[in-house]
Amino acid sequence: MSLMKVHGGTPLHGEITVRGAKNFVSKAMVAALLGEGTSELRNVPDIRDVNIVGNLLKLHGVVVEWDVEDGIVRLDPGNVETAHKADIDTHAGTSRIPILLCGPLLHRLGEAFIPDLGGCHIGDRPIDYHLEILRQFGAQVDKLDSGILITAPRGLHGTKIELPYPSVGATEQLLLTSVRAYGLTELRNAAIEPEIMDLIAVLQRMGAIISVDTDRVIRIEGVPRLGGFTHTALPDRIEAASWAAAALATRGDVFVRGARQPDMMTFLNTFRKVGGEFDIRDEGIRFHHPGTGLKSIVLETDVHPGFMTDWQQPLVVALTQASGLSIVHETVYENRFGFTQALRRMGATIQVYRECLGGGPCRFGQRNFHHSAVISGPAPLRAADIEVPDLRGGFSHLIAALAADGVSQVRGIELIDRGYEDFRGKLDALGAKVESG
Ligand code: EPU
């Protein structure tokens, strides 16, 4: 486990750049599998998830070239082949990407395999919607000891599906499966996150026919073949918000080059309500502390266009410095407040509750999930020894360590490389006093 020593108490000041969104880039790389030609994805960040997806695609015969410096990935799926199950398991690591390879692999090879899946430990993260979608297209799903084998002996056929919840992954699953299925597909209660709209743009460039209605309905007319694409990934709005929250929590001033207003409207509203200030420019957004006290808020996470669950954790750190009681209701994941334990050890006053506080009832109410938090501030934070629990929780701990008095030791820092490009370099550029062990 790698360690970072963080000398807290110095406001972050300066400029950093965010490149393409982790939660889009991996899906666009998978989409390339559906095409007959070579694809080129630009603005690709140097993060571990890109490596994992690249390796999984290579295992399936795709030629992957990654120019890390220029952020360009070229994918040639000319010779797609079946991979060994054990190799998929080894290369997937904790990634959930193998589930999204299913549709494209079924079209190309007639079968796909999903090993036991990982991802961040922020809830159960089931894949029932994914499997149900594949079944509805006519695939056969068989549980093996080592994972799940999916076959499509009679091909994949368009269908009508309504999701029980607008899941991002399930919507992507449906898109990647339907574009080359026979006939029409209709998806109701679809997720409409900007990353999904960018995936639809990629698929359209490849030759797909997809229309998006205003009421979470997506319709796809299957086509027999698709070509390659050239596309520039939309910027990572989660990373941008994470640095914005870091600026606020440390009383700093950070210009996030690449951040885009349209994808961050809801975050910007909340940032302003807390008292944070921002300045939107063509090339990015400057986020800074107001110099006076921060204000407490009531906040509920939700699917797009609501406040993203991935923005919640970094913002909670800033809320520990706001005057009064803030209430945060997490409605996307049932278990995304585990990271607050470490914040409590650092001096934050945060209590978590099973009840739905600060908003309407959600899927997790009346169940045994601590999915609401009450944060009382301002509470001075002090240094602590912390172990990174997951990607976003880990970055939030880093923010807390940067805002705290004294020297914190943060272990397991490599988890953060999954989704934050060169965060050590960026911390240096912002004047943070950190030492990597
Ligand atoms: N869900 C089910 N069954 C399913 C799929 C989802 O019950 O088959 C539930 C989940 O348990 C969760 C909710 O639906 O409670 C929403 O999950 P969703 O499918 O939308 O999430 P995801 O596709 O697995 C992506 C991002 C997450 C991000 C969420 C929500 C990627 C690789 N991951 O996950 O990002 O939090 O959408 O926006 O795109 C992160 O970047 O750190 C991260 C966790």
Side-chain angles (χ1 to χ4, degrees), residues 47-356:
I47 53 173
R48 213 168 56 246
D49 266 22
V50 172
N51 224 4
I52 293 173
V53 184
N55 285 338
L56 281 169
L57 291 173
K58 281 183 197 163
L59 282 182
H60 289 93
V62 179
V63 179
V64 182
E65 284 170 34
W66 184 8
D67 176 340
V68 178
E69 191 72 11
D70 289 341
I72 298 177
V73 171
R74 283 186 199 88
L75 303 134
D76 178 358
N79 289 306
V80 176
E81 58 194 24
T82 305
H84 291 294
K85 294 186 181 56
D87 290 343
I88 301 177
D89 202 3
T90 313
H91 281 80
T94 58
S95 163
R96 287 168 60 82
I97 286 298
I99 182 79
L100 288 179
L101 288 174
C102 289
L105 287 178
L106 287 174
H107 285 299
R108 297 296 302 254
L109 302 169
E111 73 167 51
F113 172 73
I114 312 168
D116 278 342
L117 294 169
C120 286
H121 299 298
I122 50 183
D124 255 358
R125 304 198 73 183
I127 57 168
D128 51 336
Y129 304 166
H130 294 258
L131 298 180
E132 186 49 33
I133 286 172
L134 292 165
R135 280 194 196 99
Q136 287 215 34
F137 275 95
Q140 192 177 315
V141 176
D142 293 303
K143 296 226 160 75
L144 311 181
D145 286 346
S146 49
I148 300 170
L149 181 67
I150 299 161
T151 48
R154 279 177 292 281
L156 298 168
H157 297 263
T159 181
K160 278 191 173 189
I161 297 181
E162 174 153 6
L163 287 176
Y165 183 79
S167 148
V168 169
T171 302
E172 292 160 344
Q173 177 74 261
L174 181 127
L175 288 168
L176 292 166
T177 306
S178 62
V179 281
R180 278 187 55 181
Y182 298 107
L184 303 179
T185 298
E186 180 183 283
L187 176 64
R188 295 192 166 267
N189 206 20
I192 49 164
E193 270 62 8
E195 292 76 15
I196 287 183
M197 293 303 141
D198 222 26
L199 180 62
I200 291 176
V202 159
L203 293 168
Q204 188 178 50
R205 283 175 193 217
M206 295 175 79
I209 302 173
I210 304 172
S211 59
V212 183
D213 285 357
T214 46
D215 51 356
R216 291 193 181 277
V217 177
I218 300 182
R219 290 190 182 84
I220 302 103
E221 281 179 46
V223 295
R225 63 187 61 83
L226 295 170
F229 66 84
T230 299
H231 185 81
T232 300
L234 85 167
D236 198 312
R237 63 199 174 112
I238 307 178
E239 188 189 355
S242 302
W243 289 112
L248 202 57
T250 63
R251 307 180 68 84
D253 188 336
V254 175
F255 180 64
V256 183
R257 186 171 290 278
R260 244 178 23 180
Q261 181 186 18
D263 313 327
M264 298 189 70
M265 291 250 175
T266 310
F267 179 82
L268 293 170
N269 285 336
T270 303
F271 194 80
R272 180 168 275 160
K273 284 197 230 171
V274 178
E277 293 178 357
F278 55 84
D279 174 16
I280 298 164
R281 305 185 197 152
D282 286 347
E283 336 72 75
I285 306 178
R286 174 185 162 215
F287 296 93
H288 61 101
H289 190 277
T292 53
L294 301 181
K295 292 173 267 191
S296 52
I297 54 162
V298 176
L299 178 66
E300 187 168 79
T301 65
D302 206 347
V303 294
H304 190 76
F307 190 93
M308 280 189 100
T309 168
D310 306 278
W311 292 332
Q312 177 261 105
Q313 287 154 305
L315 194 79
V316 161
V317 181
L319 290 178
T320 65
Q321 303 310 304
S323 303
L325 287 184
S326 291
I327 300 174
V328 181
H329 183 203
E330 169 61 59
T331 75
V332 180
Y333 290 112
E334 69 273 26
N335 186 21
R336 217 172 192 180
F337 283 123
F339 77 106
T340 59
Q341 259 180 28
L343 298 186
R344 270 191 291 278
R345 280 198 287 114
M346 297 177 80
T349 314
I350 304 178
Q351 273 181 292
V352 289
Y353 295 88
R354 292 190 184 87
E355 289 76 12
C356 298

